[in-house]
Amino acid sequence: MSELSDLYQEVILDHNRKPRNFTKLDGANRQAEGFNPLCGDRCIVYAKVENGVVQEVSFQGSGCAISKASSSIMTTIVKGKTPDEAEHLFEIFHNMVTGKETASGEDLGKMKVFSGVAEFPSRVKCASLAWHTLKAALEGKGEPVCTEKDAT
Ligand code: ZN
């Protein structure tokens, strides 16, 4: 394993041990639930959207290190973004974890730690669950998200 992926693994383990924004959000006006039956990952994403901006976002749930770390990092990234910007970030993230070419110049930031997931197709759903759930929350869908029904 390269030094770079060791570093990435460190970040994922850190977020798994100490997930950020791992709480029920008081005053949330968006909420959705996600489930990845392939791995058993579950998450609930809470968001507070005001004045067209995601003011606060948090999550709860249980699952593998990748799903938990991805949820944790997702909450730190989308805070302060508009729902459109959040959706755009999801696209970038999704392209990256599925190994598609991302537009050059896109700033992946902390999401880059999941670039190695592209080599493990079975983990793509773990990494993208939180983002699918966020999207459902922002779109105000009442239906729980199941990665088996959605495209990865
Ligand atoms: Zn998982």
Side-chain angles (χ1 to χ4, degrees):
M1 200 179 267
S2 72
E3 276 177 39
L4 197 61
S5 54
D6 281 350
L7 176 73
Y8 286 171
Q9 205 171 28
E10 220 16 73
V11 175
I12 289 173
L13 290 176
D14 174 57
H15 276 269
N16 180 49
R17 272 194 305 262
K18 293 176 288 181
R20 319 300 196 266
N21 306 302
F22 188 60
T23 181
K24 186 171 192 243
L25 184 65
D26 286 330
N29 54 12
R30 302 281 195 283
Q31 180 180 332
E33 205 179 329
F35 178 46
N36 172 20
L38 276 186
C39 180
D41 309 317
R42 288 178 182 280
C43 76
I44 303 174
V45 171
Y46 304 92
K48 187 178 175 187
V49 181
E50 265 173 9
N51 306 319
V53 172
V54 180
Q55 308 282 357
E56 301 282 346
V57 56
S58 73
F59 79 103
Q60 284 185 312
S62 60
C64 64
I66 290 181
S67 73
K68 212 161 165 185
S70 178
S71 305
S72 173
I73 291 174
M74 180 277 288
T75 62
T76 68
I77 290 174
V78 301
K79 190 178 168 180
K81 302 280 191 292
T82 68
D84 278 353
E85 285 167 343
E87 200 157 315
H88 180 60
L89 288 167
F90 176 31
E91 264 171 49
I92 298 171
F93 179 85
H94 197 255
N95 284 342
M96 182 185 68
V97 294
T98 53
K100 283 182 203 138
E101 202 67 42
T102 49
S104 59
E106 298 275 22
D107 182 17
L108 296 173
K110 287 181 237 171
M111 296 192 284
K112 231 183 269 174
V113 298
F114 295 101
S115 56
V117 169
E119 289 167 42
F120 305 96
S122 63
R123 310 301 272 178
V124 169
K125 288 178 178 179
C126 301
S128 57
L129 177 66
W131 288 91
H132 280 295
T133 310
L134 171 77
K135 189 171 180 235
L138 293 178
E139 287 171 354
K141 285 183 186 158
E143 292 277 297
V145 179
C146 180
T147 56
E148 282 305 274
K149 284 183 233 153
D150 282 317
T152 48

